Amino acid sequence: MKDRERFEKTLFHHVTDLRVRNYEVDWQGIVHNAVYLLYFEVGRVEYLKHIGAALDLNSVRGHSKVVLVRNEIDYLRALTFDEHLQVHTRISSIRNSSFLMEGMMVRKGAGQIVSTNIAHHVWLDPSNNTPLRVPDTFRKLVQACEGADCSITWSVDET
């Protein structure tokens, strides 16, 4: 899928509002590049809460864990202090043991895309750090939110 198609606003069913704080701005007067990753992380956590995924210490330290294994980001425009932005978040695909979360950061009001993000996650067994199948309960939560806008592999035999 081309980035232009991937980051079509109508594909995103969850939005988190944020405002740039003074300590996030670097000596150049713009938001430091590492902070963009934090903004996308806030969007991902809020998305998971929104769909009803368990996000407490018991679930995080329980029978499985989810780790971020790759984080792709494109910086398109600079942000400055006190700007109001929106982080649009979605899960675009779920495979056997992994899923992709995509984010699009937009200046609120202007609708101008500031940055895009693709975060690759893997579900692991915490006892040995080997990949586990993404639970069907999670797949169902995502499907209820995303509908046909998410490619979900349901059978272990599917690729």
Side-chain angles (χ1 to χ4, degrees):
M1 180 181 290
K2 295 178 183 173
D3 279 351
R4 196 174 290 177
E5 295 167 359
R6 167 173 266 142
F7 294 105
E8 172 60 42
K9 200 181 251 187
T10 59
L11 294 175
F12 291 82
H13 304 292
H14 186 265
V15 178
T16 303
D17 286 346
L18 296 172
R19 190 171 290 280
V20 175
R21 294 162 295 221
N22 63 321
Y23 56 85
E24 297 166 333
V25 176
D26 64 17
W27 62 273
Q28 297 180 69
I30 58 176
V31 172
H32 190 275
N33 61 352
V35 175
Y36 284 62
L37 293 170
L38 294 173
Y39 292 160
F40 283 119
E41 176 70 8
V42 169
R44 289 193 295 269
V45 168
E46 292 303 317
Y47 172 92
L48 293 170
K49 288 179 188 177
H50 171 76
I51 67 169
L55 285 178
D56 55 45
L57 285 180
N58 293 329
S59 64
V60 173
R61 295 181 185 168
H63 302 290
S64 62
K65 65 181 180 181
V66 177
V67 295
L68 179 66
V69 296
R70 181 181 170 105
N71 215 353
E72 303 170 35
I73 188 166
D74 287 320
Y75 301 94
L76 305 173
R77 292 174 178 80
L79 289 167
T80 57
F81 171 68
D82 206 35
E83 283 198 77
H84 195 180
L85 55 125
Q86 295 180 309
V87 180
H88 299 254
T89 308
R90 74 190 199 109
I91 293 181
S92 60
S93 75
I94 302 175
R95 293 186 153 187
N96 186 37
S97 61
S98 64
F99 61 96
L100 289 181
M101 291 191 84
E102 298 178 357
M104 178 175 61
M105 197 179 317
V106 176
R107 275 196 177 91
K108 189 167 183 176
Q112 187 179 52
I113 299 175
V114 173
S115 183
T116 57
N117 173 248
I118 302 171
H120 303 250
H121 297 79
V122 174
W123 219 277
L124 296 178
D125 181 330
S127 66
N128 58 16
N129 288 323
T130 57
L132 283 177
R133 178 168 163 70
V134 175
D136 282 347
T137 52
F138 182 77
R139 293 170 197 268
K140 289 175 184 174
L141 291 172
V142 172
Q143 185 179 46
C145 179
E146 300 295 343
D149 293 331
C150 181
S151 169
I152 300 176
T153 302
W154 287 95
S155 169
V156 180
D157 297 331
E158 293 182 73
T159 57

